[in-house]
């Protein structure tokens, strides 16, 4: 079955530390890949997306993600987190142009 | 900028009552979606639409109906609300062939 897995329900890091949020997918072909962020009491907002080309894609607010075909992964990274990055992060995949499937989300807590 | 507006933002309903959640988008997008968000389940697709007059079942359509009377408006209808439908509901829009979704701020529904 097609799936998106975010293995970490919650990640806690100190402000200024680096961050990696993990995402793995299972599709036969390379799908469109996304990371969305949800701040408290808001809808989801797109951070970045990937379909082809350079496997490292840059997003907003210093976030980037790296696609690995061999590992079927699309991990999100940031070199130095800020307290305002505290939010829930969703990995999502789209095997076609109309349906998007979301992971369960990872709650990021940034400690001062 | 993309704008998706949901109403109401909060709703308390009684078991067995009818509930209508409304969504309006000013992006002129063809595709619209209704998701529900529950702890531990991420976002699950209820219904979606490719344009005015069309509705499609998503992954969890039971107990829900959808209506797309115009390009701008997409409603989710609970004919007989049940406590299991207590959740946060998100509407989203997206252009056909472009998988980026634009989300509303959500409707928090409590069915008592």
């Amino acid at each position: 079955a097609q799936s998106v897995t975010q293995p970490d329900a919650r990640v806690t890091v100190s402000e200024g530390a680096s961050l990696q949020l993990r995402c793995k997918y299972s599709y036969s072909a390379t799908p469109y890949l996304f990371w969305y962020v949800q701040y408290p009491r808001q809808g989801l907002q797109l951070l970045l997306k990937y379909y082809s080309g350079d496997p490292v894609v840059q997003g907003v607010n210093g976030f980037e993600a790296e696609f690995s075909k061999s590992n079927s992964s699309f991990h999100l990274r940031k070199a130095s987190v800020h307290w305002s990055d505290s939010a829930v992060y969703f990995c999502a995949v789209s095997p076609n142009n109309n349906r998007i499937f979301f992971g369960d989300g990872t709650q990021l807590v940034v400690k001062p | 900028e993309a704008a998706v507006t949901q109403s109401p933002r909060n709703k308390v309903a009684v078991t067995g009552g009818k509930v209508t959640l409304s969504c309006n988008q000013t992006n002129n997008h063809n595709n619209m979606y209704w998701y529900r968000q529950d702890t531990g389940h991420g976002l699950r697709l209820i219904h979606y639409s490719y344009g005015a007059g069309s509705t499609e079942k998503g992954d969890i359509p039971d107990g829900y109906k959808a209506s797309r009377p115009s390009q701008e408006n997409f409603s989710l209808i609970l004919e007989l609300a049940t406590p299991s439908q207590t959740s946060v509901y998100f509407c989203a829009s997206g252009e056909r062939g472009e998988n980026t979704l634009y989300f509303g701020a959500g409707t928090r529904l409590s069915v008592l």
Side-chain angles (χ1 to χ4, degrees):
Chain A
Q2 302 166 342
S3 70
V4 183
T5 302
Q6 295 180 247
D8 304 308
R10 183 182 173 102
V11 170
T12 301
V13 297
S14 297
E15 191 166 24
S18 63
L19 168 72
Q20 176 172 276
L21 301 182
R22 296 181 292 165
C23 174
K24 297 201 73 171
Y25 64 91
S26 61
Y27 288 93
S28 56
T30 300
Y32 292 82
L33 297 160
F34 308 81
W35 277 98
Y36 282 82
V37 61
Q38 183 182 31
Y39 298 104
R41 294 174 299 281
Q42 295 185 27
L44 281 69
Q45 304 170 35
L46 181 70
L47 268 182
L48 48 82
K49 65 180 179 181
Y50 171 84
Y51 180 64
S52 64
D54 188 335
V56 178
V57 59
Q58 304 296 320
V60 299
N61 296 334
F63 284 94
E64 67 176 27
E66 183 167 7
F67 165 68
S68 170
K69 185 172 184 177
S70 61
N71 294 322
S72 296
S73 67
F74 190 56
H75 300 330
L76 182 70
R77 303 189 300 231
K78 187 171 184 178
S80 177
V81 296
H82 186 264
W83 65 267
S84 60
D85 293 325
S86 294
V88 181
Y89 292 80
F90 290 92
C91 181
V93 301
S94 177
N96 56 41
N97 283 345
N98 291 309
R99 288 291 306 270
I100 299 180
F101 299 90
F102 289 85
D104 289 344
T106 297
Q107 182 172 12
L108 174 64
V109 176
V110 180
K111 298 187 302 182
Chain B
E1 183 168 323
V4 180
T5 305
Q6 294 182 232
S7 62
R9 292 294 313 276
N10 295 280
K11 173 75 176 178
V12 178
V14 296
T15 298
K18 181 177 181 179
V19 177
T20 300
L21 307 183
S22 300
C23 179
N24 176 274
Q25 55 108 351
T26 59
N27 313 318
N28 198 32
H29 287 160
N30 289 303
N31 297 349
M32 295 186 74
Y33 306 80
W34 276 106
Y35 290 88
R36 63 177 283 176
Q37 183 179 34
D38 304 286
T39 303
H41 289 283
L43 274 77
R44 293 181 288 175
L45 183 64
I46 307 170
H47 284 289
Y48 59 105
S49 167
Y50 292 133
S54 95
T55 60
E56 306 288 338
K57 293 181 179 180
D59 299 319
I60 53 164
D62 293 346
Y64 302 94
K65 292 183 179 179
S67 173
R68 182 88 182 269
S70 65
Q71 179 85 334
E72 298 79 18
N73 296 296
F74 190 38
S75 298
L76 186 68
I77 303 151
L78 291 66
E79 295 279 4
L80 295 170
T82 69
S84 65
Q85 294 174 313
T86 293
S87 186
V88 180
Y89 292 85
F90 287 98
C91 176
S93 74
E95 187 51 76
R96 183 179 301 146
E98 168 58 49
N99 341 50
T100 301
L101 295 186
Y102 297 87
F103 283 83
T107 294
R108 186 172 298 273
L109 173 65
S110 296
V111 182
L112 306 178

